[in-house]
């Protein structure tokens, strides 16, 4: 059938199985918005800012594993989307971002609302396209989805000039496409699988260090089975939380800058580090020269460019995490569990001694609300089953430390880029992906104001999100660094309460319910009351201890064994 380019886009998205497009209109995409208006199969979700639209598509993708789709206009629409694109890129999230562009004859003429979107986004996408022929539009869309969702996932930008969306072409859904030189999933050779098994069966102090790749690769069950068979301790990065059950006895907590004492000490003393779907980020390794000084390292990752990029490894296994862990399980068999448990007994004795440090203990006193207490109560009230998004800062780390994630895709945060303003729109995406689930955002008084306009989107679509605002009157994590390393010179981090909005009234002005909680005795009751309101968004403004710090902490330049404890 013959369709305009705009109609090709809407038909393709439906044929590809896309249910939601998160976006914001503008002149260069008016043909596309008109085509969306004239159909009812693909639903458009109107964000109130392009950054919010891309974060919402991101949250949708993280929570359900399907690619998120965003649509923005040219010029400032595209540049407003860049932060969301970069956020997804750093965390390997499959996104398709369709950007409008000025008509083809005007490209390069500094036309109204023209920017070089391909050039601007080149460094923070897995790939991008500029469509110059309407006859290539359908195949380009298919290539974008293939690239975004295979191998190491990531965002793909498709820049579409306005005239292309008005031209007509014959359309049929491309079931497959050939992408020259793109090989999505390498396969680890059998000899290396056998070598890895041998190393794991000989190690006396092994550790599984696992990241977001386990979740993205849908390999949580395989990781859990492998850890149980070999009786090896498991530590997660922030991106990997939920990839192994947090309530499992073999889980030793998150590692890294604000990781558990036992996790970091195990990393420092291990003789075999098995890294799975993790990229040896600087917030995990601390000082590279002091990282795992006694260990041989096996690195399992789908991306060959991640191998030995930051830390030299001894055995790389390049391929899909699901396939490699399945191959390891098949090779190990079922007869090693008893012997492994005996061999690991001394190692577990060391770990349990480190656990006695009780590094996450805190003094819940002083008549003030401690953020740790709020997160503990949130976990209990939601039975650990909520989808929890976060912004970036101290509240993010408290959530990672005190909310026990037993399932993958329930912890949704900006790990690599550290994007303030991510939490609320990401929760919007997660709620659309799981309309009957409990979805909440843990945020702070600095972060929430970055994209607070998305409360309007929540009202339009009656999204019953629960917002937990840990209001300490500071940009908390920056203040903590200034306290530790800048002799308490609090430069531009104080958010004076008389200069802050009344968050209760602000929430109410958007049509939602607002609560302010000042007394620690009221925390549990407020949470229970809020979560009992299944059909309303509730904004809970918890006035917390203003100078609370996140512990443990590995200072910059230190090793994982050189933590600051309370």
């Amino acid at each position: 059938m013959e369709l305009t380019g705009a109609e090709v886009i809407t038909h393709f998205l439906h044929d590809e199985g896309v249910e939601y497009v998160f976006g914001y209109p503008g002149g260069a995409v008016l043909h596309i918005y008109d085509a969306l208006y004239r159909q009812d199969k693909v639903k458009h979700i109107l964000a109130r800012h392009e950054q919010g639209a891309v974060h919402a598509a991101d949250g949708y993708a993280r929570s359900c594993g399907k690619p998120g789709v965003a649509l923005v206009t040219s010029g400032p629409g595209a540049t407003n989307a860049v932060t969301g694109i970069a956020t997804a890129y750093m965390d390997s999230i499959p996104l398709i971002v369709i950007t409008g562009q000025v008509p083809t004859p005007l490209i390069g003429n500094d036309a109204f609302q023209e920017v070089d979107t391909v050039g601007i986004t080149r460094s923070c996408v897995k790939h991008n396209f500029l469509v110059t022929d309407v006859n290539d539009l359908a195949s380009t869309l298919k290539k974008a989805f293939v690239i975004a969702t295979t191998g190491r996932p990531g965002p793909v930008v498709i820049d579409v000039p306005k005239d292309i969306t008005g031209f007509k072409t014959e359309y049929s859904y491309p079931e497959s496409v050939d992408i020259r030189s793109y090989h999505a999933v390498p396969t680890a050779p059998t000899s290396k699988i056998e070598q890895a098994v041998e190393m794991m069966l000989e190690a006396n102090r092994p550790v599984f260090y696992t990241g977001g790749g386990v979740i993205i690769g849908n390999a949580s069950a395989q990781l859990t089975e492998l850890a149980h068979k070999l009786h090896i301790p498991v530590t997660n990065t922030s991106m990997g939380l939920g990839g192994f059950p947090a309530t499992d006895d073999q889980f030793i907590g998150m590692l890294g800058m604000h990781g558990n004492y036992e996790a970091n000490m195990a990393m420092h003393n291990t003789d075999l580090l098995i890294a799975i779907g993790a990229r040896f980020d600087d917030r995990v390794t601390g000082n590279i020269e002091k990282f795992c000084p006694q260990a041989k390292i096996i690195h399992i990752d789908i991306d060959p460019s991640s191998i030995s990029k930051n830390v030299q490894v001894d055995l790389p296994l390049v391929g899909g995490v699901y396939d490699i862990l399945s191959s390891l399980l098949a090779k190990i068999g079922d007869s090693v569990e008893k012997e492994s448990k005996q061999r690991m007994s001394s190692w577990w004795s060391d770990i349990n001694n480190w656990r006695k440090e009780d590094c996450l203990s805190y003094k819940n006193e002083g008549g003030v609300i401690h953020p740790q207490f709020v997160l503990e109560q949130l976990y209990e009230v939601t039975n650990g089953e909520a989808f929890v998004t976060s912004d970036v800062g101290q509240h993010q780390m408290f959530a990672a430390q005190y909310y026990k994630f037993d399932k993958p895709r329930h912890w949704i945060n900006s790990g690599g880029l550290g994007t303030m303003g991510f939490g609320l729109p990401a929760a919007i995406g997660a709620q659309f992906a799981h309309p009957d689930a409990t979805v909440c955002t843990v945020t702070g008084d600095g972060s929430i104001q970055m994209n607070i306009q998305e409360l309007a989107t929540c009202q339009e679509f009656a999204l019953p999100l629960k917002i937990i605002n840990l209001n300490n009157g500071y940009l908390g994590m920056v203040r903590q660094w200034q306290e530790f390393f800048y002799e308490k010179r609090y430069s531009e981090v104080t958010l004076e309460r008389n200069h802050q909005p009344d968050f209760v009234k602000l929430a109410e002005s958007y049509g939602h319910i607002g609560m302010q909680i000042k007394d620690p005795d009221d925390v549990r009751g407020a949470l229970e009351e809020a979560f009992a309101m299944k059909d309303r968004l509730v904004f809970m403004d918890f006035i917390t201890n203003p100078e609370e710090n996140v512990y443990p902490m590995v200072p910059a330049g230190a090793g994982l064994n050189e933590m600051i404890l309370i």
Side-chain angles (χ1 to χ4, degrees):
M1 57 184 161
E2 190 174 69
L3 302 174
T4 65
E7 292 167 337
V8 166
I9 291 172
T10 58
H11 276 70
F12 176 90
L13 292 176
H14 173 255
D15 292 342
E16 188 67 23
V18 173
E19 187 175 5
Y20 297 109
V21 173
F22 302 87
Y24 200 94
V29 287
L30 283 181
H31 290 330
I32 302 174
Y33 273 87
D34 188 59
L36 285 168
Y37 182 85
R38 290 183 282 107
Q39 57 86 56
D40 58 4
K41 296 174 181 176
V42 178
K43 302 176 183 66
H44 182 272
I45 308 303
L46 178 64
R48 294 323 194 252
H49 190 284
E50 290 89 354
Q51 182 179 341
V54 181
H55 287 331
D58 184 326
Y60 175 91
R62 293 185 199 233
S63 67
C64 70
K66 300 176 184 177
V69 180
L71 171 62
V72 300
T73 194
S74 63
T79 57
N80 282 345
V82 169
T83 297
I85 295 168
T87 299
Y89 178 72
M90 289 290 282
D91 291 343
S92 304
I93 305 304
L95 286 189
I96 306 297
V97 181
I98 301 170
T99 59
Q101 185 53 273
V102 300
T104 306
L106 297 181
I107 293 176
N109 288 352
D110 294 330
F112 177 67
Q113 291 193 330
E114 179 192 1
V115 297
D116 178 9
T117 301
V118 168
I120 288 171
T121 61
R122 183 171 285 121
S123 65
C124 60
V125 294
K126 188 175 180 184
H127 196 65
N128 56 21
F129 298 92
L130 172 64
V131 181
T132 57
D133 186 339
V134 69
N135 298 309
D136 297 333
L137 184 54
S139 62
T140 300
L141 286 161
K142 185 64 177 180
K143 288 176 183 178
F145 273 84
V146 170
I147 292 170
T149 58
T150 57
R152 180 178 180 174
V156 177
V157 168
I158 310 169
D159 200 32
V160 188
K162 185 173 184 179
D163 55 332
I164 298 297
T165 62
F167 294 153
K168 288 193 172 183
T169 186
E170 292 290 326
Y171 171 75
S172 61
Y173 174 70
E175 295 289 346
S176 62
V177 288
D178 179 58
I179 306 174
R180 183 171 57 88
S181 78
Y182 179 67
H183 306 289
V185 184
T187 303
T190 302
S191 60
K192 289 194 173 184
I193 296 291
E194 293 172 346
Q195 186 179 349
V197 169
E198 184 178 342
M199 292 171 71
M200 286 189 283
L201 293 178
E202 291 178 354
N204 294 312
R205 303 187 307 279
V207 172
F208 282 125
Y209 148 52
T210 69
V214 171
I215 295 171
I216 294 167
N218 299 311
S220 298
Q222 287 69 27
L223 170 63
T224 303
E225 183 180 353
L226 186 62
H228 286 166
K229 277 189 176 183
L230 298 177
H231 208 59
I232 293 175
V234 180
T235 179
N236 291 158
T237 66
S238 174
M239 286 296 299
L241 292 174
F244 186 83
T247 55
D248 193 292
D249 288 341
Q250 287 180 225
F251 184 60
I252 55 175
M254 184 175 69
L255 80 161
M257 179 172 283
H258 294 293
N260 284 16
Y261 182 76
E262 55 267 34
N264 284 348
M265 291 302 292
M267 291 287 289
H268 187 73
N269 289 278
T270 183
D271 64 353
L272 179 65
L273 182 63
I274 306 116
I276 308 175
R279 58 187 180 88
F280 296 90
D281 176 76
D282 58 287
R283 290 294 175 101
V284 162
T285 64
N287 188 326
I288 290 286
E289 295 180 0
K290 300 178 180 180
F291 180 70
C292 297
Q294 308 168 51
K296 291 185 176 180
I297 300 176
I298 299 171
H299 189 185
I300 301 170
D301 205 284
I302 200 168
D303 183 3
S305 71
S306 290
I307 302 297
S308 295
K309 181 172 69 175
N310 297 327
V311 173
Q312 192 68 34
V313 304
D314 298 281
L315 178 63
L317 296 177
V318 180
V321 171
Y322 179 96
D323 293 335
I324 290 177
L325 293 187
S326 297
S327 296
L328 290 171
L329 283 166
K331 186 63 64 174
I332 288 170
D334 298 320
S335 61
V336 300
E337 194 166 341
K338 183 177 180 180
E339 187 276 332
S340 293
K341 191 170 185 178
Q342 292 174 344
R343 183 163 45 86
M344 293 294 106
S345 60
S346 176
W347 183 222
W348 276 106
S349 178
D350 290 339
I351 290 170
N352 287 328
N353 282 330
W354 292 322
R355 278 175 165 166
K356 293 176 183 177
E357 184 67 38
D358 196 14
C359 66
L360 296 183
S361 64
Y362 64 96
K363 294 180 180 179
N364 190 22
E365 59 188 21
V368 297
I369 296 176
H370 295 269
Q372 302 96 319
F373 178 67
V374 177
L375 267 302
E376 287 177 335
Q377 295 303 303
L378 177 66
Y379 173 75
E380 291 182 10
V381 168
T382 60
N383 297 312
E385 296 176 351
F387 288 86
V388 180
T389 74
S390 85
D391 278 302
V392 171
Q394 287 182 318
H395 57 271
Q396 176 190 28
M397 291 298 99
F398 287 131
Q401 290 174 330
Y402 291 92
Y403 199 102
K404 301 178 182 69
F405 295 95
D406 279 343
K407 300 175 184 177
R409 300 193 182 278
H410 280 60
W411 168 235
I412 299 166
N413 78 124
S414 170
L417 197 64
T419 306
M420 293 173 70
F422 174 81
L424 176 56
I428 290 172
Q431 191 75 81
F432 275 108
H434 304 276
D436 298 324
T438 298
V439 180
C440 55
T441 295
V442 177
T443 186
D445 46 322
S447 282
I448 189 61
Q449 295 184 74
M450 292 277 187
N451 271 315
I452 201 165
Q453 76 285 337
E454 298 308 324
L455 286 174
T457 302
C458 298
Q459 173 64 10
E460 178 180 350
F461 293 96
L463 303 180
L465 305 179
K466 304 299 181 281
I467 299 172
I468 294 87
N469 184 40
L470 302 180
N471 186 344
N472 60 7
Y474 283 106
L475 301 178
M477 189 61 83
V478 184
R479 183 210 57 76
Q480 178 170 333
W481 276 66
Q482 289 176 342
E483 176 186 336
F484 287 2
F485 309 117
Y486 295 89
E487 298 177 341
K488 297 187 178 181
R489 293 187 292 274
Y490 296 148
S491 176
E492 304 301 328
V493 294
T494 305
L495 304 176
E496 297 285 353
R497 296 210 192 277
N498 59 344
H499 297 155
Q500 290 278 72
D502 182 328
F503 286 109
V504 172
K505 291 182 179 177
L506 184 57
E508 290 173 348
S509 75
Y510 278 102
H512 304 301
I513 295 172
M515 300 178 177
Q516 186 177 82
I517 305 95
K518 294 182 177 180
D519 190 326
D521 292 337
D522 295 334
V523 168
R524 178 68 176 238
L527 287 167
E528 290 176 339
E529 181 183 353
F531 281 93
M533 290 184 266
K534 302 295 185 182
D535 59 348
R536 295 297 302 275
L537 184 149
V538 183
F539 191 116
M540 287 165 277
D541 186 28
F542 291 94
I543 307 303
T544 63
N545 181 22
E547 295 188 351
E548 196 83 46
N549 288 325
V550 182
Y551 295 104
M553 180 175 179
V554 178
L560 292 182
N561 64 324
E562 298 173 311
M563 286 161 277
I564 299 173
L565 302 175
I566 293 177

